[in-house]
Amino acid sequence: MPIRPPIKELNIKTHDKGFYKGFNRIVTITSKVLVTLVVIWILSDIERSGAILDVMKNWSYTNLNSYYTYSVAFYILVCLTVILWPSFGRTKLGSDPNGKPEFSNFSWFSMIFGAGIGIGVLTYSAAEPIWHLANNPDTIMAKEVILSTLSTSGTRLPEGADVFAFYQEQITANTLAPIDGVIIPKTEAALDAAFRYSFLHWGINAWATYCLVGICLAFFCYSRGLPLTMRSALTPLFGKHLEGPLGNIIDISAVIATIFGISQTIGIGLSSFASGLYSITGIAWLVTDPVNPEPTTGALLLSLFVVMCLSIGSALSGVGRGIKWLSNINMVLSFLLLAFFLIFGATMFALEMLGKGIFSYVVNLPAMVITVWDPNTELGAWQTSWSIFYWAWWIAFAPFVGIFLARISKNRTIREFGLIGIVAPSLTLFVWFSFIGGTGINLELSGIAGGKIFESGLTAQLFEIIGFMLDPAMANMMSTMVVILLLTYLVTSADSALLVVNTVNSGGKVKVENSSKHIIIWGVALSSVIAALLLAGGLDAITSAMIIAAIPFSFIIILMAISLLKALILDSMRSREP
């Protein structure tokens, strides 16, 4: 019995006149109403709404840590399967066998990197290895071993004493023998874990999630001829039912996840941007405390206004102009910054950390991907505040990045898309973390920084590192370049998100005649969401909203993965039919 042909047409209703001409009114209006209601709810009682968001975040951390962990592991498994399986990997994401990619490899990679996690890497490449050097699962387990040993030996830990400091005092006094395998925080022994867990969070887990969504969308759009929107990727499972309410719900979920996912990214970027402005200008009102500078709400809101004005203008110019050129600019500036650390940073130390870190990451990856700790333990608390936070962030960010990657990847093969989209950004990030984070760690371990980098806020640590590397005038110039780079990443991410939201709302159309007004409206809506969340609790409130928004879309990605596998398997079977 012959296999039924695939669905190659999906009729998504769009309005044919007026303000919503070219747009699906149900998806567009419902999404706007939901976002508006969230903003009104937050602003109606800022303190109470912030507290409720925090409770919801803590609930998800406690109850969904296993779900998030195994979901991301599943995304990786499916993504690697479609890339490495010979017939699947050769599949071209386009209907023309002789079709050529729209963008050069450099521009393509620049847009992948810039729209993916370019903002985050500027903040976390400096901060995360430093934070993990002080606290990671290895040091937490070492603390448990020390406490157990002290208890067995009958030695009492003084109330309020630091476990590791007391342990080292006992060794020095010869009242306790050194314990094999114990990792002391902020020492060379903790380096392996510091980079291993940094690579875990920013490596394959992130990019496989993005690329899985991107491959699904590109396959069903360019190989099947379906609209470039989320519902198209589920046609092998739900067929023509996606033309109605079910498809609308899926697209609305994608829009909401995109808005809150990009809010998290922009929120972190704004904090780094404001910290950079303070580092350059020294203007007091930009930070709450000059000793431990954290950006004020006023500084964040001012930065938001500047970024969103520029983003709306760039989005109105389209992918081929504003976004493409901004992506190329920020990629050039990124490499200049990286070259600075390659030449003037702790080069040999960083190269050693890169090699050892990648080896440790690859060896431990299978176990790290599926390990879940009890959220009520210290290990579980670390996992929820770091790993689970990241998995939710990448999932919430996936509809935006996935549609954007699909939009710029026509006529690539699945294998090319996957390998370049996963391996190249991951390796690039590993280099960033090793050279920027490694330089900061080296400054601390050598005693030059004197603990000041450790004590700085997460978004200020890159500027602290630069301050220790250069004299004040040169440090100011380099910090200015970083601030400009942050601005280009912020604008690129925000304007890409606006175009993606418009694409979903228009039923998958890349270009809509009436799109300019809607780009402006969504730009204002995104700005309002971020501003309201900043007022309700700063970055913590944005994180809470993002984690909540990621929950429904995480399930949609699972369905998309199953749908893609079904489609590729059926295509392979059709090719063997007489």
Side-chain angles (χ1 to χ4, degrees):
M1 182 177 178
I3 302 171
R4 292 174 60 183
I7 294 175
K8 293 190 175 182
E9 184 178 351
L10 202 61
N11 182 25
I12 302 176
K13 293 182 181 179
T14 55
H15 205 48
D16 57 2
K17 61 182 179 180
F19 184 73
Y20 287 99
K21 181 180 180 180
F23 287 86
N24 182 308
R25 287 194 297 182
I26 294 176
V27 174
T28 307
I29 294 174
T30 304
S31 300
K32 288 177 181 176
V33 168
L34 290 174
V35 169
T36 302
L37 289 175
V38 169
V39 173
I40 292 172
W41 171 66
I42 293 171
L43 295 179
S44 64
D45 191 338
I46 290 175
E47 289 187 8
R48 186 167 181 269
S49 59
I52 291 173
L53 285 170
D54 192 55
V55 169
M56 294 174 72
K57 178 188 70 174
N58 291 334
W59 178 89
S60 66
Y61 274 165
T62 302
N63 296 280
L64 298 178
N65 58 340
S66 296
Y67 170 72
Y68 275 127
T69 300
Y70 296 136
S71 293
V72 172
F74 176 70
Y75 304 157
I76 295 171
L77 179 62
V78 174
C79 203
L80 293 178
T81 299
V82 299
I83 292 170
L84 299 177
W85 195 270
S87 61
F88 298 169
R90 289 194 299 268
T91 302
K92 189 170 186 178
L93 302 172
S95 56
D96 182 3
N98 300 314
K100 301 295 183 184
E102 181 180 358
F103 300 101
S104 68
N105 288 336
F106 179 79
S107 291
W108 184 50
F109 177 71
S110 296
M111 286 189 280
I112 288 175
F113 191 79
I117 44 182
I119 293 172
V121 71
L122 281 177
T123 298
Y124 284 95
S125 61
E128 187 160 347
I130 293 170
W131 281 60
H132 292 334
L133 191 74
N135 187 45
N136 63 68
D138 287 12
T139 61
I140 293 170
M141 287 186 279
K143 183 191 295 183
E144 294 173 355
V145 170
I146 293 171
L147 289 172
S148 176
T149 302
L150 290 175
S151 177
T152 302
S153 66
T155 305
R156 188 178 67 85
L157 179 70
E159 186 176 350
D162 179 80
V163 173
F164 293 102
F166 182 73
Y167 165 70
Q168 290 175 309
E169 288 172 4
Q170 296 302 301
I171 292 174
T172 302
N174 293 320
T175 57
L176 186 70
I179 305 170
D180 290 338
V182 165
I183 306 297
I184 305 297
K186 298 183 181 180
T187 66
E188 291 186 5
L191 286 170
D192 179 81
F195 286 94
R196 185 197 325 141
Y197 286 104
S198 297
F199 292 176
L200 169 68
H201 297 148
W202 294 81
I204 291 175
N205 292 51
W207 293 98
T209 303
Y210 296 159
C211 284
L212 176 60
V213 175
I215 289 169
C216 287
L217 293 170
F219 174 79
F220 287 102
C221 175
Y222 301 130
S223 301
R224 288 282 196 266
L226 297 172
L228 182 60
T229 189
M230 290 298 160
R231 70 177 81 187
S232 296
L234 300 179
T235 50
L237 300 181
F238 302 108
K240 292 289 186 176
H241 293 292
L242 293 165
E243 294 179 344
L246 177 60
N248 292 336
I249 291 171
I250 290 167
D251 284 348
I252 291 167
S253 298
V255 171
I256 299 303
T258 298
I259 291 297
F260 288 101
I262 196 64
S263 294
Q264 174 69 38
T265 302
I266 291 176
I268 288 175
L270 292 175
S271 184
S272 296
F273 182 73
S275 295
L277 288 178
Y278 173 73
S279 177
I280 295 168
T281 64
I283 298 174
W285 66 266
L286 291 172
V287 296
T288 56
D289 180 7
V291 177
N292 187 17
E294 290 291 336
T296 61
T297 301
L300 293 174
L301 292 175
L302 175 62
S303 301
L304 174 63
F305 176 78
V306 173
V307 167
M308 293 312 301
C309 286
L310 293 173
S311 300
I312 292 170
S314 177
L316 291 172
S317 70
V319 174
R321 293 183 180 179
I323 295 176
K324 175 185 174 181
W325 284 106
L326 276 173
S327 296
N328 288 344
I329 289 170
N330 62 37
M331 186 56 63
V332 170
L333 290 176
S334 295
F335 280 116
L336 286 175
L337 178 62
L338 186 58
F340 164 76
F341 277 92
L342 287 171
I343 297 170
F344 300 106
T347 305
M348 297 308 298
F349 177 81
L351 286 172
E352 182 183 356
M353 291 304 100
L354 177 63
K356 289 182 176 179
I358 290 176
F359 177 79
S360 180
Y361 168 69
V362 172
V363 169
N364 291 282
L365 182 61
M368 291 192 295
V369 164
I370 60 173
T371 296
V372 180
W373 287 301
D374 183 346
N376 297 312
T377 65
E378 190 173 353
L379 278 170
W382 181 92
Q383 186 175 42
T384 54
S385 62
W386 284 100
S387 302
I388 305 303
F389 157 73
Y390 278 122
W391 306 162
W393 187 5
W394 305 152
I395 290 167
F397 215 40
F400 152 56
V401 180
I403 288 182
F404 187 73
L405 295 188
R407 165 66 183 85
I408 63 176
S409 301
K410 186 177 182 180
N411 293 321
R412 306 275 178 178
T413 65
I414 287 179
R415 183 168 296 120
E416 182 182 13
F417 189 135
L419 289 179
I420 294 180
I422 294 175
V423 177
S426 294
L427 290 176
T428 302
L429 286 168
F430 296 166
V431 172
W432 274 78
F433 276 76
S434 298
F435 277 86
I436 298 180
T439 296
I441 288 173
N442 188 63
L443 288 168
E444 285 290 7
L445 293 182
S446 64
I448 295 174
K452 291 186 178 180
I453 298 175
F454 281 136
E455 295 166 1
S456 297
L458 186 143
T459 58
Q461 285 176 316
L462 174 58
F463 300 102
E464 286 287 344
I465 293 171
I466 292 172
F468 279 106
M469 293 176 65
L470 300 171
D471 63 66
M474 292 298 296
N476 203 54
M477 290 177 59
M478 183 57 64
S479 295
T480 302
M481 191 189 86
V482 172
V483 168
I484 294 171
L485 179 55
L486 273 167
L487 182 61
T488 62
Y489 272 131
L490 282 163
V491 173
T492 302
S493 296
D495 61 12
S496 301
L498 297 179
L499 290 177
V500 163
V501 168
N502 251 17
T503 298
V504 176
N505 288 334
S506 63
K509 298 183 183 70
V510 174
K511 294 182 179 180
V512 184
E513 180 183 343
N514 197 32
S515 64
S516 298
K517 295 176 182 177
H518 293 273
I519 286 175
I520 295 172
I521 289 173
W522 278 110
V524 173
L526 177 58
S527 303
S528 300
V529 168
I530 297 172
L533 290 168
L534 287 172
L535 292 171
L539 291 180
D540 286 341
I542 293 177
T543 299
S544 301
M546 175 272 295
I547 290 170
I548 296 163
I551 295 171
F553 196 74
S554 63
F555 183 65
I556 292 174
I557 300 178
I558 293 173
L559 294 178
M560 291 172 70
I562 296 170
S563 179
L564 177 64
L565 288 172
K566 180 180 179 181
L568 292 172
I569 291 169
L570 290 177
D571 277 359
S572 180
M573 294 170 65
R574 290 188 190 100
S575 68
R576 294 195 295 269
E577 286 184 338

